[in-house]
Amino acid sequence: MKKKISAPFSLALLLSLLLFTIFSARESFGQGDQSYLVSAEELGAVSSAVITLGLIALDAYDPNETIHDVTLYKITYQTTDVSGEPTVASGAMYVPQTDTDSVPIISYQHGTVMNRNQVPSRSSEDPSGLFYSAYGFITTLPDYLGM
């Protein structure tokens, strides 16, 4: 089920794309062109209660910190490959549900995977990004080029 993203998170999506890009895409897509985002699809949400249980199970729960509900998105964006050629890449973005005016961003780089179904935009096997977002960070998780 696709849902549109609200305006405050659109800005967060655009800013997070900078974290996904290793090489500057300006030369490939035109000077000053800011149209990197191709699509954003809401994948679902995880409640703070479920996240808290996971944190407790991993002995990572801090009762002095607020645990937020988290909304998960798959994003696709324009970038350049290792040869400098334009390409479209994908990744996941986890957004904490909070009413604060600013939210810090962190980029989580997953380990090597051998199967496309194990990348962050297709799998939730690695909960690290979810936990960062539960503690209040927008977390970007690139799938890496070729995946």
Side-chain angles (χ1 to χ4, degrees):
M1 176 169 110
K2 287 188 177 185
K3 292 184 180 179
K4 291 192 176 189
I5 298 174
S6 63
F9 295 115
S10 294
L11 178 59
L13 281 170
L14 291 174
L15 292 174
S16 67
L17 292 176
L18 295 174
L19 297 174
F20 283 117
T21 308
I22 296 172
F23 301 104
S24 172
R26 281 188 168 181
E27 291 179 21
S28 298
F29 298 106
Q31 289 293 334
D33 181 5
Q34 297 299 313
S35 59
Y36 302 121
L37 184 63
V38 174
S39 68
E41 175 185 351
E42 185 176 325
L43 299 176
V46 181
S47 72
S48 59
V50 169
I51 296 169
T52 299
L53 290 174
L55 289 167
I56 290 169
L58 294 171
D59 197 29
Y61 177 66
D62 183 349
N64 298 314
E65 295 289 332
T66 301
I67 304 298
H68 300 280
D69 293 344
V70 177
T71 304
L72 291 67
Y73 297 93
K74 176 182 180 176
I75 60 172
T76 55
Y77 56 96
Q78 297 179 19
T79 189
T80 55
D81 65 16
V82 295
S83 301
E85 296 298 316
T87 190
V88 175
S90 60
M93 186 171 80
Y94 300 162
V95 180
Q97 299 307 300
T98 178
D99 57 1
T100 59
D101 290 336
S102 66
V103 181
I105 298 175
I106 189 168
S107 179
Y108 179 77
Q109 310 302 308
H110 65 83
T112 301
V113 296
M114 304 307 283
N115 184 321
R116 286 179 184 243
N117 291 324
Q118 296 174 318
V119 298
S121 69
R122 297 181 182 199
S123 170
S124 58
E125 291 180 18
D126 183 348
S128 302
L130 183 64
F131 294 153
Y132 287 124
S133 290
Y135 281 119
F137 292 87
I138 292 175
T139 308
T140 59
L141 304 99
D143 289 342
Y144 302 150
L145 294 176
M147 295 304 268

